[in-house]
């Protein structure tokens, strides 16, 4: 039974990755309440660039459950998340409020002891397929 | 403007992948969210209430020890740190032992929160609750002063709810959100409500439409017209793009091409798959709205863990829902008959279809 559950969970991780490739969130738990008593601050930082031109993108809204900020004129961002002290999975969302780039979501895993991670992002121009 | 039934290829591919995810989640059915209807007493008499609450409740409040015994039973199959317990009612804050209950849950390792109308949430009470390990709060604010007070049938309810929100915004490390039920009388106020919430420091705003259950069944004015219903989704979509407040539509309803436009996740009714509830009389259900035929057991007769592991078939195999207007619907594979709380508790018939309501608006346009 436990093996079957593990396989199903692994399958769902794979599905989450495929959804992310399609440009949809891998943050499948979004909307759930945030669990656990916060004991540690996790920080994600990095730079957002255009996948097409590799130029930095300003004013991309980067958010976690705990707040958001906009990238500066060099595409830099830093967001944080409060979670348990035994590691956390932080869902980071990248949104272009000008609607020129596709939404992008990422799950950043912090294992025991890790508190800060750099995550550089290339955003895909919007193909206006809606 | 989004057209509900015209779903682009990329989103269709994602929805098909998500079906597999949903199937796996159903097979795993990991319990991680428990509601406790801790009282049916309420200090308001809202026009739209879906609960069975009254000012003088017929069912007495369940002793906290009985609920905690049930929680001890499921502790064997859940990770307490990953299982949220939400106290609802009635009005949860009417229980004078809420702090003791919360502390007992905290000591067992469960994060906990409650849903409130804000009438009794002053700074002193909030501090006491925070000291008992409170992690999350949901406050209802259903419009500007006049429309909120009308729906809540109390002249003081707006001021109390707004003050509660301001207290919450100053609490460190507390997750809270504001819930607004949108109806004909507050629909035109949405922009003003948004500014009010942003100015009060609110980060998360959940918007619901009123469904025809409880007292809301008797008042057609509480339902949005098809055009307003669609306009609401456009409002949510544009507000999300603005990025000034994290707005989302509530958890209910498959929304076609509005999926992922108005909330962060694809539609998935998790009742009975991840969510259970203990109702005021000890009944074990999924979401608190689900009664009668959806009751799976009772904590006074059954072991909560056994019920979770062996019952809930009606939630985990929804083939029964492919009847009535769902029978020949092309979206059933994604929707599985909408949220279960929107199905009649006796007949199983669907009481409200989001897709149909949106299509109606688009046809009339």
């Amino acid at each position: 039974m436990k093996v079957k559950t593990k396989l199903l969970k692994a399958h769902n991780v794979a599905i989450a990755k495929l959804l992310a490739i399609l440009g949809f969130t891998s943050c499948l738990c979004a909307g759930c309440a945030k669990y656990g008593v916060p004991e540690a601050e996790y920080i994600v930082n990095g730079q957002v660039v255009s996948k097409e031109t590799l130029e930095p993108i300003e004013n991309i809204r980067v958010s976690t459950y705990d707040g958001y900020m906009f990238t500066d004129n060099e595409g830099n961002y830093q967001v944080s998340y409060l979670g348990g002290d035994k590691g956390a999975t932080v869902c980071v969302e990248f949104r272009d409020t000008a609607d020129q780039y596709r939404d992008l979501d990422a799950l950043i895993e912090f294992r025991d002891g890790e508190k800060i991670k750099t995550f550089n992002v290339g955003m895909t121009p919007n193909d206006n397929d809606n | 403007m989004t057209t509900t039934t015209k779903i682009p290829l990329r989103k269709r591919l994602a929805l098909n992948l998500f079906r597999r995810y949903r199937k796996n989640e159903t097979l795993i059915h990991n319990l991680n969210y428990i509601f406790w209807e801790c009282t049916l007493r309420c200090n308001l008499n809202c026009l739209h209430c879906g609960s069975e609450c009254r000012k003088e409740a017929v069912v007495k409040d369940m002793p906290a020890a009985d609920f905690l015994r049930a929680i001890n039973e499921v502790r064997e199959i859940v990770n307490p740190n990953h299982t949220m317990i939400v106290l609802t009612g009635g009005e949860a804050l009417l229980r004078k032992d809420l702090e003791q209950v919360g502390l007992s849950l905290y000591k067992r390792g469960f994060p906990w929160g409650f849903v409130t109308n804000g009438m009794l949430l002053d700074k002193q009470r909030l501090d006491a609750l925070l000291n008992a390990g409170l992690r999350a709060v949901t406050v209802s604010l259903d419009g500007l002063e006049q429309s909120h007070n009308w729906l809540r049938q109390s002249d003081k309810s707006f001021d109390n709810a707004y003050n509660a929100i301001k207290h919450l915004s100053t609490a460190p490390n507390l997750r809270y959100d504001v819930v607004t039920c949108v109806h004909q009388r507050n629909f035109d106020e949405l922009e003003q409500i948004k500014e009010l919430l942003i100015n009060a420091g609110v980060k998360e705003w959940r918007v619901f439409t009123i469904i025809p259950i409880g007292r809301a069944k008797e008042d057609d004015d509480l339902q949005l017209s098809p055009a307003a219903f669609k306009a609401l989704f456009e409002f949510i979509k544009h507000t999300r793009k603005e990025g000034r407040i994290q707005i989302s539509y509530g958890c209910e309803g498959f929304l076609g091409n509005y999926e992922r436009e108005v909330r962060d996740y694809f539609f998935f009714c998790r009742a009975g798959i991840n969510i259970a509830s203990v109702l005021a009389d000890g009944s074990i259900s999924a979401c608190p709205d689900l009664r009668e035929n959806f009751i799976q057991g009772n904590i006074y007769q059954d072991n909560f863990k056994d019920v979770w592991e062996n019952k809930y078939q009606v939630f985990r195999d929804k083939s029964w829902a492919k009847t009535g207007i769902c029978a020949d619907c092309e979206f059933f594979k994604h929707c599985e008959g909408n949220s279960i709380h929107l199905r009649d508790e006796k007949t199983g018939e669907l009481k409200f279809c989001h897709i149909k309501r949106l299509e109606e608006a688009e046809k009339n346009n």
Side-chain angles (χ1 to χ4, degrees), chain A residues 25 27-33 65 91 93, chain B residues 175 263-265 270:
Chain A
T25 183
C27 308
L28 293 168
C29 65
C32 306
Y65 282 132
C91 175
E93 297 181 344
Chain B
R175 189 172 185 198
R263 58 189 167 209
D264 295 332
Y265 49 92
R270 292 180 181 269

Side-chain angles (χ1 to χ4, degrees), chain A:
Chain A
M1 193 67 179
K2 277 186 178 172
V3 174
K4 191 182 169 193
T5 301
K6 274 188 180 173
L7 284 172
L8 290 169
K9 284 182 177 173
H11 190 188
N12 275 354
V13 170
I15 290 172
K17 285 180 180 168
L18 285 170
L19 285 170
I21 290 168
L22 283 170
F24 291 97
T25 183
S26 52
C27 308
L28 293 168
C29 65
C32 306
K34 194 171 96 179
Y35 303 128
V37 179
E39 289 166 352
E41 187 179 26
Y42 298 91
I43 293 170
V44 184
N45 60 23
Q47 189 188 33
V48 181
V49 299
S50 163
K51 222 173 187 175
E52 209 172 58
T53 65
L54 301 180
E55 290 293 315
I57 316 175
E58 192 180 357
N59 276 332
I60 297 294
R61 185 179 187 275
V62 188
S63 63
T64 68
Y65 282 132
D66 287 328
Y68 66 90
M69 56 93 62
F70 290 89
T71 51
D72 64 17
N73 56 8
E74 292 181 344
N76 294 318
Y77 74 92
Q78 176 165 305
V79 286
S80 64
Y81 172 86
L82 288 165
D85 67 349
K86 296 214 167 17
T89 303
V90 183
C91 175
V92 186
E93 297 181 344
F94 299 85
R95 298 283 181 272
D96 179 16
T97 54
D99 215 11
Q100 290 177 355
Y101 293 88
R102 275 193 203 169
D103 293 352
L104 193 147
D105 303 320
L107 286 179
I108 313 290
E109 270 203 70
F110 289 84
R111 299 190 191 281
D112 277 1
E114 291 179 320
K115 290 288 182 288
I116 184 160
K117 278 201 165 178
T118 297
F119 184 72
N120 295 321
V121 170
M123 290 186 78
T124 308
N126 211 337
D127 54 8
N128 293 318
D129 62 354
N130 284 341

Side-chain angles (χ1 to χ4, degrees), chain B residues 117 123 179 306:
Chain B
N117 57 33
K123 183 82 175 73
V179 166
D306 291 344

Side-chain angles (χ1 to χ4, degrees), chain B residues 276-307:
Chain B
S277 68
V278 175
L279 304 183
D281 63 356
S283 297
I284 299 170
S285 182
C287 291
D289 293 336
L290 295 164
R291 293 167 188 274
E292 300 196 33
N293 288 347
F294 294 120
I295 301 291
Q296 301 298 302
N298 190 296
I299 61 160
Y300 292 109
Q301 281 113 43
D302 305 297
N303 181 297
F304 194 3
K305 178 192 128 189
D306 291 344
V307 171

